[in-house]
């Protein structure tokens, strides 16, 4: 299935391997507060190191304007050393003498982290001169940062044009999972799209209706579709000005033979707060001063049976205000059902993007899905059908 070069296609022994990873981890008081991203890239780093490659890590961190000690990768490199249980060296710059000297001192198997690539404006500009300075430090380039692949920056894309380029293991796993979900999926394919607003997901919906067999629309964004169909949604979150757009998407879905599954009932409360009194209503009886905060029980049944009918599921966005009980019910029940179908071998389930990971964690089922992507923006752009520069360059680079 893989249509790009991977670590299976190169002998890294004694080579200087520039590895683009995503070390942009959340920090709290100078300490890494969530090491998930570090754990994810460990596999690639250890494999290259054990095969005798010199691992030279490149990453951005935050959005510094020039050199900024607060955006140094040094503390992240220390934590990465703990995660890897190996020594991780550090160079105070990603180009120039500091980087050259540190790389020159490396032995096969060593791991070195270079300072934040965004300390140089050439990174985000994908400046050829900056790319050349980075490239001079390595013999090959491995991209293991899917989460940054939607950006054509020097370290995420530019290097792929000047060095032999390969996908790292994390990138490879992500691309394989995504290919199974939308590029060459087993049909029927269902997508569940929720979240707050239609306006942030228009491209995504337009792309999906041409690719999937059924599309479940939930969350606040479903209200815009219901309103467009003449349902009174009371005080619910609703982008009324997008009603014509919603109708256009429904028309497109019909033309593409994609079944649209909208809520048929809704859980309504009068205050947006935890454990606010709430009740399920049919769509013809939503109170004028109420807010739809979750899909209702009949809608959950419909989502469950849609999942039963599917061989592949792609999911982005909660179907209700899942952070606040009891409005997490629809999301949790749908997630548990998808997880159970996956565990029993009936479903390939791929989820990702922003709040979706949090929602699946909340439901306690992330590890039961086939693949959960932690790459927010890149995952959404992939779902929108947009080519990701950091992936495209892996498909087409010279060897
Ligand atoms: P997004 O980032 O677009 O995926 O949106 C996720 C957010 O949508 C979460 O914070 C949910 O609480 C919110 N959300 C989902 N359903 C609703 C709803 N019916 N009303 C208000 N907010 C909602």
């Amino acid at each position: 299935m893989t249509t790009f070069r991977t670590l299976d296609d190169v002998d890294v022994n004694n080579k200087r391997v520039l590895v683009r990873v995503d070390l942009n981890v959340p920090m709290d008081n100078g300490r890494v507060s969530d090491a998930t991203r570090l754990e994810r890239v460990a596999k690639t780093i250890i494999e290259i190191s054990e095969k005798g490659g010199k691992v030279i890590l490149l990453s951005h961190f935050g959005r510094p304007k020039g050199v900024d000690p607060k955006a140094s990768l040094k503390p992240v490199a220390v934590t990465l050393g703990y995660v890897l249980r190996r020594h991780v060296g550090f160079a105070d710059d990603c180009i120039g003498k500091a980087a050259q000297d540190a790389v020159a001192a490396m032995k096969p198997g060593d791991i070195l982290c270079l300072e934040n690539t965004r300390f140089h404006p050439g990174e985000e500009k994908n400046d050829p001169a900056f790319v050349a300075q980075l490239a001079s430090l390595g013999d090959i380039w491995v991209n293991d940062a899917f989460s940054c692949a939607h950006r054509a920056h020097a370290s995420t894309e530019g290097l792929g044009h000047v060095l032999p380029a390969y996908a790292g293991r994390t990138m490879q796993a992500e691309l394989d999972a995504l290919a199974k979900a939308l590029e060459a999926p087993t049909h029927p394919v269902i997508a569940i799209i929720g979240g707050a607003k239609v306006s942030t997901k228009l491209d995504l919906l337009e792309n999906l209706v041409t690719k999937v067999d059924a599309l479940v629309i939930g969350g606040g964004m479903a209200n815009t579709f219901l309103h467009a169909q003449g349902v009174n949604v009371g005080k619910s979150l609703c982008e009324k000005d997008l009603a014509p757009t919603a109708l256009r998407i429904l028309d497109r879905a019909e033309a593409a033979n994609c079944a649209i599954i909208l809520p048929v009932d809704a859980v309504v409360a009068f205050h947006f707060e935890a454990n606010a009194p709430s009740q399920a209503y049919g769509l013809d009886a939503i109170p004028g001063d109420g807010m739809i905060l979750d899909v209702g029980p009949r809608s959950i049944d419909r989502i469950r049976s849609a999942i039963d009918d599917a061989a592949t599921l792609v999911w982005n966005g909660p179907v209700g205000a899942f952070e606040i009980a009891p409005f997490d019910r629809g999301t949790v029940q749908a997630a548990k059902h998808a997880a159970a179908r996956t565990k029993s071998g009936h479903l390939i389930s791929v989820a990702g993007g922003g709040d979706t990971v949090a929602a699946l964690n909340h439901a306690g089922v992330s590890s039961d899905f086939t693949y959960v992507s932690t790459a927010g923006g890149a995952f959404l752009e992939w779902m929108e059908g947009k080519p990701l520069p950091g992936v495209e360059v892996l498909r087409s680079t010279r060897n």
Side-chain angles (χ1 to χ4, degrees):
M1 173 166 297
T2 306
T3 57
F4 40 86
R5 282 195 292 278
T6 72
L7 291 175
D8 296 325
D9 303 310
V10 61
D11 177 9
V12 295
N13 185 29
N14 210 15
K15 287 208 174 75
R16 299 171 303 157
V17 187
L18 287 170
V19 187
R20 183 41 159 107
V21 282
D22 184 0
L23 303 182
N24 192 31
V25 289
M27 302 284 280
D28 191 11
N29 268 330
R31 306 185 77 136
V32 175
S33 57
D34 180 354
T36 310
R37 282 195 165 148
L38 306 186
E39 285 152 15
R40 287 217 167 188
V41 292
K43 202 170 172 201
T44 299
I45 297 171
I46 288 173
E47 178 176 335
I48 298 170
S49 168
E50 289 186 347
K51 287 179 170 172
K54 299 172 183 174
V55 186
I56 305 158
L57 300 174
L58 293 170
S59 178
H60 76 284
F61 184 57
R63 295 175 180 273
K65 298 266 170 284
V67 177
D68 176 357
K70 288 199 290 299
S72 172
L73 272 172
K74 202 167 189 174
V76 183
V78 172
T79 310
L80 180 64
Y82 293 133
V83 171
L84 298 174
R85 294 167 190 261
R86 282 165 167 78
H87 176 72
V88 175
F90 189 76
D92 288 328
D93 201 348
C94 63
I95 53 169
K97 192 166 173 0
Q100 286 158 3
D101 289 352
V103 170
M106 290 178 85
K107 294 187 291 299
D110 280 356
I111 303 165
L112 172 71
C113 179
L114 303 182
E115 184 55 287
N116 196 343
T117 51
R118 284 198 188 160
F119 282 1
H120 296 273
E123 164 71 344
E124 288 181 70
K125 289 191 188 129
N126 206 353
D127 173 10
F130 180 66
V131 172
Q133 284 180 289
L134 290 176
S136 71
L137 300 168
D139 302 309
I140 65 170
W141 176 66
V142 171
N143 190 0
D144 211 27
F146 178 83
S147 50
C148 309
H150 54 315
R151 300 198 172 107
H153 293 172
S155 67
T156 62
E157 197 264 355
L159 281 171
H161 295 289
V162 296
L163 289 177
Y166 303 88
R169 295 301 184 199
T170 313
M171 172 72 88
Q172 185 183 349
E174 185 106 22
L175 294 179
D176 281 345
L178 300 189
K180 262 189 236 155
L182 275 191
E183 278 155 34
T186 312
H187 284 267
V189 184
I190 182 182
I192 299 179
I193 303 300
K197 291 183 172 180
V198 178
S199 50
T200 59
K201 300 199 178 168
L202 288 176
D203 289 349
L204 191 146
L205 292 169
E206 304 245 16
N207 182 43
L208 285 178
V209 294
T210 65
K211 297 231 167 103
V212 304
D213 303 295
L215 175 61
V216 173
I217 302 176
M221 59 192 281
N223 301 335
T224 301
F225 284 86
L226 296 177
H227 163 75
Q229 292 181 325
V231 174
N232 173 13
V233 296
K235 289 192 174 158
S236 306
L237 181 64
C238 178
E239 293 170 288
K240 292 190 172 157
D241 52 322
L242 286 180
T245 309
L247 292 177
R248 191 186 71 221
I249 291 170
L250 295 179
D251 282 348
R252 279 190 166 214
E254 194 175 342
N257 239 337
C258 167
I260 296 284
I261 301 169
L262 277 162
V264 288
D265 59 351
V267 175
V268 174
F270 299 90
H271 306 282
F272 193 28
E273 60 192 29
N275 300 314
S278 62
Q279 202 183 313
Y281 291 88
L283 294 183
D284 54 351
I286 307 288
D289 52 351
M291 277 176 294
I292 298 174
L293 292 178
D294 196 9
V295 293
R298 285 195 294 123
S299 306
I300 296 174
D301 283 345
R302 292 192 75 200
I303 297 174
R304 277 209 205 94
S305 52
I307 292 172
D308 286 342
D309 290 342
T312 304
L313 163 71
V314 194
W315 188 338
N316 168 261
V319 297
F322 78 99
E323 299 95 335
I324 306 175
F327 311 111
D328 56 348
R329 192 171 294 143
T331 302
V332 168
Q333 295 202 0
K336 286 192 164 159
H337 194 68
R341 292 288 294 173
T342 307
K343 268 176 108 173
S344 63
H346 294 95
L347 187 70
I348 292 167
S349 51
V350 174
D355 278 331
T356 316
V357 181
L360 296 186
N361 285 341
H362 174 74
V365 298
S366 294
S367 56
D368 294 331
F369 269 55
T370 310
Y371 194 80
V372 177
S373 172
T374 53
F379 183 85
L380 284 181
E381 288 201 19
W382 167 80
M383 272 187 113
E384 289 165 359
K386 296 180 180 155
L388 306 180
V391 171
E392 293 309 308
V393 76
L394 294 175
R395 294 189 208 279
S396 57
T397 50
R398 65 195 177 83
N399 216 334

